[in-house]
Amino acid sequence: MNKHENLCDIIIFGGHGDLAFRKLMPALYHLCHDGYFHQDTRIITVTRADMELEEHLCLVETKLKEFLIIDKYDAEKFNIFKKKLHLVRVDLSDEEKYSSLADVLSQYPERDRVNYLSTSPSFFGSICKALSRYELILPSSRVVLEKPIGRDLKSSRAINIEVLQYFQESQIYRIDHYLGKDTVQNILALRFSNRIFMPLWDANNIDHIQITVAESVGVEGRWGYYDEYGAMRDMIQNHLMQLLCLIAMEPPCSLDADSVRDEKVKVLRSLRPMTPADIQQKTVRAQYTKGSSNGESVPGYREGEGVKNSTTETFAAIRVDIDNWRWNGVPFYIRSGKRMQKRNSEIVIQFKGVPHSIFANKGACISKNKLVISLQPRESIELKLMNKIPGLSEVMRLQQVELELNSSENISRKPEAYERLLLDVIHSNPTLFMRLDEVEAAWRWADSILEAWQEDIVPMKHYSAGNDGPSAAIELIASDGRSWNDE
Ligand code: NAP
């Protein structure tokens, strides 16, 4: 794509919010510096804040200094970046008062527009309605929706229906920032550009798959939001389900957006529905109690502001089965929690053992092959293989070694997920964004579990902050004769 075809106005609603300052502005700053913007690109912050442009620029600069982790702030780069920054004051709750935004946008009436809704979803409908009322939506406009899109199928559908009154499905970019991670995209490269995995990627060769997204932090002051959602809605329905789809999907016929998304939807539709008895047996929900994190004592979840009697889970583990030919009999164990021992997101593909070991009566033990895709804190892919320990020992001794695929060694800076995703919206490429049918299929599956939990058919378990979750999660996988990949 020619960089000069990228001319657009990027409008950030909720532009003085946490996400805008922590993720969006640093990503835009990098894209600007790396030459991805047309020189006339405008980044228009929409906020209620009563301030002049100069004050806004100072605030953005301060926040960039705080949040630019990889590449430190650079005054020269900021001087170039700040020329693109604009400010418009709008109270999003008042659909009648978008004229200041209309004035700024109408300076370039034909220009492509990327509307990034970095607000609570309760504003999505009214922002789109106001954009339409002021005739600010062009056929080339895009709208980016942040998660969470609803807290169940019904509310998600209501939000989508509202947005769809004003934007076509092809203009809607539902973001799941996990899909912007380089290593997550590398799953596609690994699976579909290497012949060696093709015959191995099925129930004949794979014993089971684990997907873990563990956070060591708690809810970090976001009680109001988190208590409404919990681990299932905040992490599993979206991030973990997307990872599961990329691992389980059939090869798409091409890399175009609909081919990839068609295959992901097929996976979601193949998830085995769970009866109440299955839910009792195959799901675990838990809350953390007081404990310690990074050597400091931390309070339990229910000791947080306003959540005294909360029944919201901060941890969930589920055995997922996929009813299709490829995955028949291969369980996917997924889990996610807050205040876990360490921050760790990984996918483990556990292969079956060799059919017969010629080393067994010599006392050598063969560990089964494993492919470990780490997403956090480090991004890496490791294939664990058996190897001979060098030497003249009469008995052949074996060891497990790691074949590491580290694709980032030769690049100076690995882009952040939001850079990839923002660039894709600018290029009108929705491959890494969720289509409506994907979101709905994921909610349909999640709702069946959430409804059963709501009826208390699965007791709430507890785990001390700083642990690997409740013992019930260990039992969930141990009852199938397996164990989590926790070292
Ligand atoms: P936030 O800090 O609460 O910011 C939301 C912004 O919405 C506020 O800063 C405010 O913008 C705007 N807003 C609220 N009421 C408004 C009104 N009446 N008129 C105009 N603007 C109003 O939330 P956030 O953490 O940035 O999150 C934004 C969205 O992204 C949420 O849906 C969240 O769930 C999602 N998300 C956040 C993160 C994250 O890391 N923070 C990660 C994933 C998803 P102004 O202050 O500019 O007026």
Side-chain angles (χ1 to χ4, degrees), residues 12-23 45-49 90-94 116-124 146-148 175 177 222 225 229 234 239 418:
I12 305 178
F13 295 87
H16 278 185
D18 177 65
L19 181 72
F21 282 133
R22 206 144 53 85
K23 296 289 181 190
T45 288
V46 178
T47 177
R48 288 164 301 178
V90 179
D91 185 335
L92 302 179
S93 52
D94 193 344
Y116 199 115
L117 309 195
S118 179
T119 66
S120 145
S122 56
F123 287 114
F124 291 177
E146 258 301 338
K147 75 156 207 192
I175 213 160
H177 73 270
R222 298 178 78 211
Y225 160 77
Y229 290 85
D234 186 47
H239 304 320
Y418 276 94

Side-chain angles (χ1 to χ4, degrees), residues 103-212:
D103 290 346
V104 173
L105 292 179
S106 59
Q107 289 165 6
Y108 301 100
E110 304 297 322
R111 189 178 279 186
D112 276 19
R113 288 167 192 161
V114 169
N115 299 285
Y116 199 115
L117 309 195
S118 179
T119 66
S120 145
S122 56
F123 287 114
F124 291 177
S126 60
I127 295 172
C128 295
K129 188 172 175 192
L131 290 174
S132 167
R133 171 190 288 222
Y134 280 85
E135 299 182 355
L136 300 175
I137 303 175
L138 309 173
S140 62
S141 295
R142 277 86 83 191
V143 63
V144 185
L145 306 183
E146 258 301 338
K147 75 156 207 192
I149 303 178
R151 58 188 306 284
D152 51 26
L153 177 61
K154 191 169 167 223
S155 53
S156 153
R157 203 168 257 175
I159 293 167
N160 280 308
I161 286 173
E162 261 193 296
V163 175
L164 279 160
Q165 284 180 43
Y166 310 104
F167 287 89
Q168 306 283 327
E169 175 63 23
S170 60
Q171 296 174 291
I172 303 175
Y173 288 68
R174 298 178 190 85
I175 213 160
D176 183 322
H177 73 270
Y178 266 59
L179 296 182
K181 289 178 186 287
D182 233 56
T183 307
V184 173
Q185 290 155 57
N186 209 3
I187 296 172
L188 292 178
L190 192 75
R191 287 197 56 200
F192 304 126
S193 67
N194 292 299
R195 187 171 178 115
I196 58 165
F197 290 117
M198 188 179 86
L200 298 180
W201 211 264
D202 62 16
N204 291 326
N205 298 289
I206 292 176
D207 177 74
H208 74 277
I209 286 164
Q210 300 180 13
I211 304 177
T212 297

Side-chain angles (χ1 to χ4, degrees), residues 3 13 131 152 174 186 188-189 213 232 238 264 302 304 306 329-330 351 353 359 387 399 412 421 424 459:
K3 288 174 186 176
F13 295 87
L131 290 174
D152 51 26
R174 298 178 190 85
N186 209 3
L188 292 178
V213 176
M232 183 73 172
N238 39 61
K264 288 200 287 171
R302 283 193 184 211
V330 181
F351 290 93
F359 304 99
N387 201 13
Q399 64 183 346
S412 57
L421 296 171
D424 283 357

Side-chain angles (χ1 to χ4, degrees), residues 368-379:
K368 295 172 190 168
N369 298 140
K370 223 186 248 189
L371 181 69
V372 181
I373 303 170
S374 304
L375 308 174
Q376 275 174 170
R378 198 172 148 252
E379 294 194 46

Side-chain angles (χ1 to χ4, degrees), residues 395-447:
V395 179
M396 193 186 293
R397 290 163 58 220
L398 304 179
Q399 64 183 346
Q400 192 177 54
V401 291
E402 282 101 35
L403 201 61
E404 187 170 344
L405 309 175
N406 190 347
S407 54
S408 62
E409 245 165 29
N410 297 325
I411 59 168
S412 57
R413 189 183 68 80
K414 205 166 189 181
E416 288 276 320
Y418 276 94
E419 288 174 60
R420 162 85 277 150
L421 296 171
L422 279 160
L423 195 56
D424 283 357
V425 186
I426 292 167
H427 289 167
S428 298
N429 177 3
T431 309
L432 299 178
F433 296 82
M434 290 180 291
R435 212 170 52 191
L436 180 63
D437 50 356
E438 270 181 85
V439 177
E440 295 206 342
W443 271 126
R444 208 167 281 119
W445 173 83
D447 273 2

Side-chain angles (χ1 to χ4, degrees), residues 1-58:
M1 168 77 63
N2 179 336
K3 288 174 186 176
H4 297 287
E5 289 171 18
N6 296 346
L7 178 56
C8 64
D9 280 341
I10 301 165
I11 306 121
I12 305 178
F13 295 87
H16 278 185
D18 177 65
L19 181 72
F21 282 133
R22 206 144 53 85
K23 296 289 181 190
L24 305 183
M25 277 297 169
L28 292 166
Y29 168 92
H30 282 306
L31 290 177
C32 175
H33 174 253
D34 292 346
Y36 286 106
F37 288 157
H38 186 281
Q39 60 180 5
D40 295 331
T41 293
R42 296 188 299 178
I43 298 164
I44 302 165
T45 288
V46 178
T47 177
R48 288 164 301 178
D50 184 11
M51 61 170 67
E52 296 300 320
L53 180 62
E54 269 314 306
E55 260 180 285
H56 169 67
L57 298 182
C58 286

